[in-house]
Amino acid sequence: FYCSRDGETLTNKCFENKVSTCTNLTFTETTMVSEWGLICDNNWLSKATMSALMFGFLVGALLLGNLADRIGRKSNLVLTLLGMLFFNLVSASTSQYSVYLMSRFCVGFFVSGNILSVVVLMSEIVGPSY
Protein backbone atom coordinates (compact mmCIF):
# COMPACT_ATOMS: atom_id res chain seq x y z
CA PHE A 1 0.00 0.00 0.00
CA TYR A 2 0.97 3.63 -0.42
CA CYS A 3 0.34 6.33 2.16
CA SER A 4 0.55 9.94 0.95
CA ARG A 5 0.36 13.38 2.54
CA ASP A 6 1.69 16.79 1.51
CA GLY A 7 3.41 15.42 -1.60
CA GLU A 8 5.33 12.76 0.34
CA THR A 9 4.59 9.05 -0.20
CA LEU A 10 5.53 6.05 1.95
CA THR A 11 5.38 2.43 0.79
CA ASN A 12 3.94 -0.13 3.24
CA LYS A 13 4.17 2.39 6.11
CA CYS A 14 2.05 5.12 7.60
CA PHE A 15 3.21 8.46 8.91
CA GLU A 16 3.60 8.15 12.70
CA ASN A 17 2.25 4.59 12.28
CA LYS A 18 -1.33 5.95 12.13
CA VAL A 19 -3.78 5.49 9.28
CA SER A 20 -5.38 8.84 10.10
CA THR A 21 -2.17 10.68 9.11
CA CYS A 22 -2.51 9.55 5.48
CA THR A 23 -4.50 11.88 3.25
CA ASN A 24 -4.47 9.32 0.43
CA LEU A 25 -4.27 5.53 0.85
CA THR A 26 -3.70 3.45 -2.26
CA PHE A 27 -3.72 -0.34 -2.22
CA THR A 28 -2.08 -2.43 -4.94
CA GLU A 29 -4.54 -5.32 -4.59
CA THR A 30 -7.99 -5.91 -3.15
CA THR A 31 -7.86 -7.99 0.02
CA MET A 32 -9.52 -8.05 3.43
CA VAL A 33 -6.68 -5.87 4.69
CA SER A 34 -7.37 -3.20 2.08
CA GLU A 35 -11.16 -3.48 2.35
CA TRP A 36 -11.21 -2.93 6.12
CA GLY A 37 -8.03 -0.83 6.40
CA LEU A 38 -6.19 -3.28 8.64
CA ILE A 39 -2.84 -1.50 8.42
CA CYS A 40 -0.58 0.49 10.73
CA ASP A 41 -2.41 1.25 14.01
CA ASN A 42 -5.36 -0.97 12.91
CA ASN A 43 -3.09 -3.96 12.26
CA TRP A 44 -4.12 -5.57 15.55
CA LEU A 45 -7.62 -6.11 14.13
CA SER A 46 -6.25 -8.67 11.67
CA LYS A 47 -4.70 -10.57 14.59
CA ALA A 48 -7.97 -10.46 16.51
CA THR A 49 -9.61 -12.77 13.97
CA MET A 50 -7.25 -15.61 14.91
CA SER A 51 -7.79 -14.87 18.59
CA ALA A 52 -11.56 -15.09 18.09
CA LEU A 53 -11.16 -18.44 16.30
CA MET A 54 -9.01 -19.83 19.13
CA PHE A 55 -11.40 -18.55 21.78
CA GLY A 56 -14.19 -20.30 19.86
CA PHE A 57 -12.16 -23.53 20.03
CA LEU A 58 -11.92 -23.14 23.81
CA VAL A 59 -15.61 -22.42 24.41
CA GLY A 60 -16.74 -25.09 21.94
CA ALA A 61 -14.57 -27.75 23.55
CA LEU A 62 -16.00 -26.92 26.96
CA LEU A 63 -19.65 -26.89 25.90
CA LEU A 64 -20.04 -29.23 22.93
CA GLY A 65 -18.30 -32.18 24.59
CA ASN A 66 -21.00 -32.23 27.27
CA LEU A 67 -23.70 -31.73 24.65
CA ALA A 68 -22.41 -34.74 22.72
CA ASP A 69 -22.75 -36.86 25.86
CA ARG A 70 -26.37 -35.77 26.23
CA ILE A 71 -27.70 -35.82 22.64
CA GLY A 72 -25.36 -38.41 21.15
CA ARG A 73 -22.20 -38.17 19.08
CA LYS A 74 -23.93 -38.58 15.72
CA SER A 75 -26.42 -35.80 16.41
CA ASN A 76 -23.63 -33.59 17.69
CA LEU A 77 -21.61 -34.37 14.55
CA VAL A 78 -24.47 -33.28 12.29
CA LEU A 79 -25.08 -30.15 14.37
CA THR A 80 -21.42 -29.13 14.25
CA LEU A 81 -21.12 -29.82 10.53
CA LEU A 82 -24.13 -27.62 9.81
CA GLY A 83 -22.76 -24.91 12.11
CA MET A 84 -19.37 -25.01 10.40
CA LEU A 85 -20.98 -24.84 6.96
CA PHE A 86 -23.25 -21.93 7.85
CA PHE A 87 -20.68 -19.78 9.64
CA ASN A 88 -17.97 -20.40 7.03
CA LEU A 89 -20.44 -19.18 4.40
CA VAL A 90 -21.18 -16.12 6.54
CA SER A 91 -17.49 -15.33 7.00
CA ALA A 92 -16.85 -15.76 3.27
CA SER A 93 -19.67 -13.47 2.19
CA THR A 94 -19.69 -10.66 4.75
CA SER A 95 -18.40 -7.16 4.09
CA GLN A 96 -18.39 -6.08 7.74
CA TYR A 97 -15.48 -6.73 10.06
CA SER A 98 -17.61 -7.30 13.19
CA VAL A 99 -19.72 -9.96 11.43
CA TYR A 100 -16.53 -11.60 10.17
CA LEU A 101 -15.06 -11.64 13.68
CA MET A 102 -18.17 -13.22 15.20
CA SER A 103 -18.43 -15.79 12.41
CA ARG A 104 -14.79 -16.83 12.98
CA PHE A 105 -15.58 -17.33 16.68
CA CYS A 106 -18.57 -19.51 15.74
CA VAL A 107 -16.49 -21.51 13.25
CA GLY A 108 -13.98 -22.26 16.01
CA PHE A 109 -16.81 -23.17 18.36
CA PHE A 110 -18.27 -25.74 15.96
CA VAL A 111 -14.91 -27.08 14.72
CA SER A 112 -13.82 -28.05 18.23
CA GLY A 113 -17.13 -29.79 18.89
CA ASN A 114 -16.80 -31.60 15.59
CA ILE A 115 -13.28 -32.79 16.34
CA LEU A 116 -14.34 -34.06 19.77
CA SER A 117 -17.17 -36.09 18.26
CA VAL A 118 -15.05 -37.51 15.44
CA VAL A 119 -12.20 -38.55 17.74
CA VAL A 120 -14.51 -40.32 20.17
CA LEU A 121 -16.50 -42.01 17.39
CA MET A 122 -13.30 -43.24 15.74
CA SER A 123 -11.91 -44.59 19.00
CA GLU A 124 -15.20 -46.41 19.65
CA ILE A 125 -15.11 -47.97 16.17
CA VAL A 126 -11.47 -49.09 16.44
CA GLY A 127 -11.89 -50.56 19.91
CA PRO A 128 -9.44 -51.16 22.76
CA SER A 129 -7.19 -53.67 20.93
CA TYR A 130 -5.31 -50.86 19.18
Side-chain angles (χ1 to χ4, degrees), residues 53-75:
L53 182 74
M54 293 298 160
F55 189 61
F57 286 158
L58 173 72
V59 175
L62 293 173
L63 298 179
L64 291 177
N66 292 331
L67 183 66
D69 290 338
R70 282 189 266 133
I71 67 171
R73 309 242 183 274
K74 247 180 170 177
S75 299

Side-chain angles (χ1 to χ4, degrees), residues 23-110:
T23 55
N24 184 23
L25 272 175
T26 307
F27 293 94
T28 56
E29 57 188 358
T30 304
T31 63
M32 289 173 27
V33 172
S34 65
E35 185 176 340
W36 293 325
L38 305 178
I39 56 170
C40 300
D41 58 333
N42 291 334
N43 188 31
W44 68 273
L45 293 171
S46 64
K47 312 305 186 256
T49 59
M50 183 58 82
S51 297
L53 182 74
M54 293 298 160
F55 189 61
F57 286 158
L58 173 72
V59 175
L62 293 173
L63 298 179
L64 291 177
N66 292 331
L67 183 66
D69 290 338
R70 282 189 266 133
I71 67 171
R73 309 242 183 274
K74 247 180 170 177
S75 299
N76 193 53
L77 187 63
V78 171
L79 173 74
T80 57
L81 284 172
L82 291 174
M84 286 171 21
L85 175 67
F86 177 74
F87 285 107
N88 271 316
L89 288 172
V90 168
S91 69
S93 62
T94 188
S95 61
Q96 295 180 344
Y97 176 77
S98 58
V99 174
Y100 180 75
L101 191 67
M102 285 306 301
S103 66
R104 296 312 294 166
F105 169 82
C106 293
V107 166
F109 180 83
F110 287 111

Side-chain angles (χ1 to χ4, degrees), residues 57 77 80 110-120:
F57 286 158
L77 187 63
T80 57
F110 287 111
V111 165
S112 66
N114 184 277
I115 290 171
L116 287 172
S117 292
V118 168
V119 167
V120 172

